[in-house]
């Protein structure tokens, strides 16, 4: 192998390896959120192949399907949210808009809930969760993954 080809190959491999280091890299546009648990202070997100389950404090919501981000790591998607969920779920599920940004292994998320029971909008977040970290929700337990 000649020196120029070897140098180009090593440079390409180094660039590929550095792309995922440091937690600052963005995912490619359209790349779905990683399956697993994402946790933070007073927040948790459980991602499956078919649902994203979000907890902010003693409330929770669901996003159907997989969540993809744009080329800047941003997203905005509709789902449902329950504002009265602890100590018992009182419901109802309300229409909600989930938005935020993914940077590396950190997901910042906000929820705008259309509270049709009071006629008032409710904003939750922003909160930041990290992939592979356990949620820290204090007295509010994180729900099990909902069945589709």
């Amino acid at each position: 192998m000649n020196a120029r080809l070897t140098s180009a190959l090593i440079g390409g491999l180094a660039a590929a390896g550095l792309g995922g280091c440091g937690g600052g890299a963005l995912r490619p546009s359209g790349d779905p959120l990683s399956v697993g648990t994402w946790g933070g202070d007073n927040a948790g997100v459980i991602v499956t192949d078919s649902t994203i389950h979000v907890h902010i404090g003693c409330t929770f919501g669901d996003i159907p399907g997989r969540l993809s981000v744009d080329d800047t790591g941003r997203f905005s998607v509709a789902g449902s949210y329950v504002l009265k969920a602890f100590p018992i779920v009182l419901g109802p599920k309300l229409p909600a808009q989930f938005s935020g940004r993914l940077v590396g292994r950190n997901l910042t998320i906000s929820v705008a809930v259309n509270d049709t029971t009071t006629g008032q909008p409710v904003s939750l977040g922003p909160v930041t969760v990290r992939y592979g970290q356990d949620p820290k929700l204090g007295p509010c337990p994180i729900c099990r993954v909902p069945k589709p």
Side-chain angles (χ1 to χ4, degrees):
M1 196 179 287
N2 70 33
R4 189 182 313 173
L5 182 57
T6 301
S7 178
L9 182 59
I10 291 171
L13 290 172
L18 291 175
C21 295
L26 296 175
R27 291 173 168 269
S29 180
D31 201 14
L33 205 57
S34 296
V35 170
T37 300
W38 299 67
D41 293 330
N42 207 33
V45 175
I46 301 171
V47 179
T48 70
D49 287 328
S50 60
T51 303
I52 298 168
H53 188 66
V54 177
H55 275 268
I56 298 176
C58 295
T59 65
F60 68 85
D62 296 302
I63 302 168
R66 296 296 306 270
L67 179 83
S68 296
V69 299
D70 69 14
D71 58 352
T72 66
R74 297 188 189 283
F75 65 92
S76 182
V77 64
S80 62
Y81 214 85
V82 176
L83 293 170
K84 297 176 183 172
F86 185 78
I88 60 171
V89 177
L90 296 176
K93 284 187 175 185
L94 301 166
Q97 189 70 26
F98 297 79
S99 60
R101 186 168 188 217
L102 175 66
V103 178
R105 296 169 61 102
N106 295 314
L107 174 69
T108 300
I109 190 166
S110 296
V111 184
V113 182
N114 180 9
D115 188 347
T116 56
T117 61
T118 66
Q120 298 296 314
V122 176
S123 295
L124 300 164
V127 296
T128 299
V129 292
R130 184 167 176 81
Y131 181 68
Q133 184 173 313
D134 289 332
K136 297 176 191 128
L137 289 166
C140 305
I142 191 161
C143 293
R144 302 282 188 258
V145 176
K147 295 182 178 160

